[in-house]
Amino acid sequence: MSPVTTIDRIGNYEGQTVTLRGWLYNKRSSGKIQFLQVRDGTGVIQCVAVKSEVGDAVFAACEALTQESSLIVEGVVRRDARAKGGYELSVTRVEPVGGSVDYPITLKEHGVDFLLDHRHLWIRTPRQRAILKVRAEVMRAMADFLDADGFTRVDPPILTPSSCEGTTELFYTQYFDEDAYLTQSGQMYLEAAAMALGKVYSMGPAFRAERSKTRRHLIEFWMIEPEMAFYTHEDNVRLQEAFVQHVVRHVLDHCEAELATIGRDVDRLAKVQAPFPRMSYDEAIRWLQAHGHDIRWGDDFGAPHETELAAQFDRPLFIERYPTALKAFYMQPDPERPEVVLCADLLAPEGYGEIIGGSQRIHDYDLLRDRFVTHNLPMDTYGWYLDLRKYGSVPHAGFGIGLERTVAWICGLEHVREAIPFPRMLYRLYP
Ligand code: 4AD
Ligand code: MG
């Protein structure tokens, strides 16, 4: 048997006979020649079977292959400048593995509901495969950056007794005789871990029972959450800049083919260089008012506001110091202006909206306890969090970056649903 390889490595075997294992993506025939487009998860290659060379049996086997049937194909690797990956395979042998009758996703256009109903098959198409590859590289880049910067990965629990980001969007479940909720954010646990390990991060799913049906919202999404002891708001923002710049650079360097398959304008990504522009919430409100928006100090931004604010710049935009009343209970007030908090949201360019939410956290025991009272948070479930302010409390800060929104932006996707293998959305739990 010839060596088994994959399409992405086929260039190492020019002139040699190799074996590939994959699926038939597409096929065309000109009577005595079959052109098989074979994909194997690493790429697509054209395999050419010439009747006079392979013989009747192999040719008939090629003819019988249908879309998405699986196969093992052997052939000689030929360089071909016109071919997509630069190589073609001259078929010598074909072994069908699993048949595929009436494959539902044809190579013409389908509606998005149909595709989402067939998500288990849709992910096989080159564009979806490319997006999932970019997602994996984004996660790798994030972990690499933080690991190299002295962070320790820590995994917070998924089942929790309390909420982190407000009680209205909680998924309830029963935990034997207790109430439990799916995590909205691992932040509180990461704050505890930062007091144990200094700089920590998590990478995992978060759940929000949000009745929002927008192109930016998922019910289950992934968040990467760094948390750093002894970091101020300013330190936090600087870290985020370097982090996002690194992630974009890594994708540009490692996903050239994928970005081309997706059709992303990479010149726009190349502009993502720190430092990023910053605006205070106050300035943002004034800017919006000056540009015809009916918005007042104290109002939250909607998607159109975020899109317009960010459209002034070719790199992500920080909006800092939001009104205390708009943000979560744990954010540190600005010592000079307690009506605003030391926080920043990072808005991606090109209309992708908020990709990061972060802040310096309250480290003072009495202040945090007051917040529990004003926010009606029960001490029995949050007591441990208050303890962190009782035993060696330090100023600290952190942020959460939404993986799907980041991938949607980097890939230039219209909707976050394509940025996760199996999206959970309002009214969609299948497949
Ligand atoms: O701004 P959020 O709600 O912040 C937190 O949860 C903090 N506790 C994070 C922290 O400081 N450790 O969420 C952070 C990010 C958002 O900026 C967004 O990118 C993403 O998570 N996100 C969502 N992504 C998809 N669908 C949703 N429903 C999302 N909600 C938040
Ligand atoms: Mg937020």
Side-chain angles (χ1 to χ4, degrees), residues 16-90:
Q16 297 176 46
T17 302
V18 298
T19 298
L20 293 174
R21 302 182 291 197
W23 296 263
L24 186 76
Y25 174 59
N26 198 5
K27 178 173 85 163
R28 82 196 150 78
S29 143
S30 72
K32 304 216 174 325
I33 308 181
Q34 298 267 338
F35 300 94
L36 312 175
Q37 306 287 328
V38 173
R39 57 165 200 88
D40 72 347
T42 73
V44 180
I45 192 169
Q46 174 155 279
C47 304
V48 184
V50 180
K51 193 171 188 177
S52 60
E53 289 168 10
V54 299
D56 289 350
V58 169
F59 198 78
C62 291
E63 262 180 329
L65 292 169
T66 53
Q67 189 190 354
E68 287 304 317
S69 59
S70 47
L71 68 149
I72 296 171
V73 57
E74 190 182 64
V76 182
V77 180
R78 306 228 184 269
R79 188 196 280 282
D80 182 348
R82 292 160 306 166
K84 217 169 168 207
Y87 295 92
E88 246 188 25
L89 199 74
S90 296

Side-chain angles (χ1 to χ4, degrees), residues 142-415:
M142 289 178 170
D144 283 352
F145 179 93
L146 296 169
D147 292 342
D149 200 26
F151 281 73
T152 301
R153 181 169 167 166
V154 164
D155 305 312
I158 305 286
L159 288 166
T160 61
S162 52
S163 93
C164 180
E165 294 296 314
T167 48
T168 52
E169 298 165 353
L170 280 173
F171 269 109
Y172 170 79
T173 185
Q174 227 172 316
Y175 192 80
F176 306 105
D177 296 331
E178 288 178 73
D179 291 337
Y181 308 94
L182 297 183
T183 182
Q184 294 174 308
S185 157
Q187 182 195 315
M188 296 166 80
Y189 297 96
L190 289 157
E191 288 181 56
M195 302 304 139
L197 293 147
K199 296 198 284 188
V200 296
Y201 72 99
S202 67
M203 241 183 203
F207 306 86
R208 307 249 171 122
E210 284 180 273
R211 296 208 170 261
S212 328
K213 207 174 176 219
T214 79
R215 60 194 203 90
R216 298 175 183 176
H217 284 91
L218 292 166
I219 302 300
E220 177 178 320
F221 63 98
W222 278 58
M223 205 173 2
I224 291 73
E225 296 186 88
E227 190 72 33
M228 300 74 68
F230 294 104
Y231 265 50
T232 62
H233 167 65
E234 184 61 27
D235 299 332
N236 195 17
V237 166
R238 294 250 176 254
L239 174 70
Q240 290 169 45
E241 262 170 8
F243 177 79
V244 170
Q245 175 181 294
H246 171 83
V247 169
V248 171
R249 187 72 253 161
H250 177 93
V251 173
L252 284 171
D253 290 344
H254 294 85
C255 302
E256 208 184 335
E258 284 77 15
L259 292 171
T261 297
I262 299 162
R264 182 60 161 122
D265 176 357
V266 288
D267 293 342
R268 302 196 71 155
L269 293 177
K271 295 194 176 119
V272 179
Q273 303 276 343
F276 298 163
R278 294 196 206 182
M279 250 184 171
S280 67
Y281 170 88
D282 300 3
E283 288 169 321
I285 290 288
R286 284 198 296 270
W287 189 91
L288 288 168
Q289 286 170 340
H291 289 79
H293 290 272
D294 180 20
I295 191 167
R296 267 168 307 189
W297 199 96
D299 292 344
D300 208 353
F301 301 129
H305 301 129
E306 292 184 348
T307 298
E308 273 191 52
L309 285 166
Q312 308 168 69
F313 306 98
D314 57 9
R315 51 195 88 189
L317 166 68
F318 284 112
I319 311 251
E320 299 177 292
R321 293 179 163 82
Y322 283 71
T324 309
L326 279 184
K327 290 293 187 184
F329 71 93
Y330 52 70
M331 293 189 183
Q332 174 72 25
D334 184 337
E336 265 131 58
R337 286 179 67 199
E339 72 277 16
V340 300
V341 278
L342 296 177
C343 73
D345 281 358
L346 185 64
L347 309 185
E350 303 174 64
Y352 285 92
E354 178 199 324
I355 54 170
I356 293 184
S359 64
Q360 191 174 321
R361 324 302 192 187
I362 293 176
H363 60 277
D364 181 73
Y365 182 91
D366 293 328
L367 181 56
L368 189 62
R369 203 194 38 209
D370 287 351
R371 286 284 200 274
F372 279 19
V373 174
T374 46
H375 287 256
N376 257 324
L377 301 171
M379 285 299 171
D380 52 343
T381 46
Y382 290 91
W384 68 269
Y385 184 64
L386 206 50
D387 266 358
L388 304 176
R389 279 69 182 171
K390 206 157 128 192
Y391 306 110
S393 187
V394 300
H396 60 288
F399 66 93
I401 181 165
L403 180 61
E404 291 75 18
R405 288 193 194 171
T406 305
V407 171
W409 162 50
I410 292 177
C411 291
L413 311 179
E414 217 165 282
H415 197 298

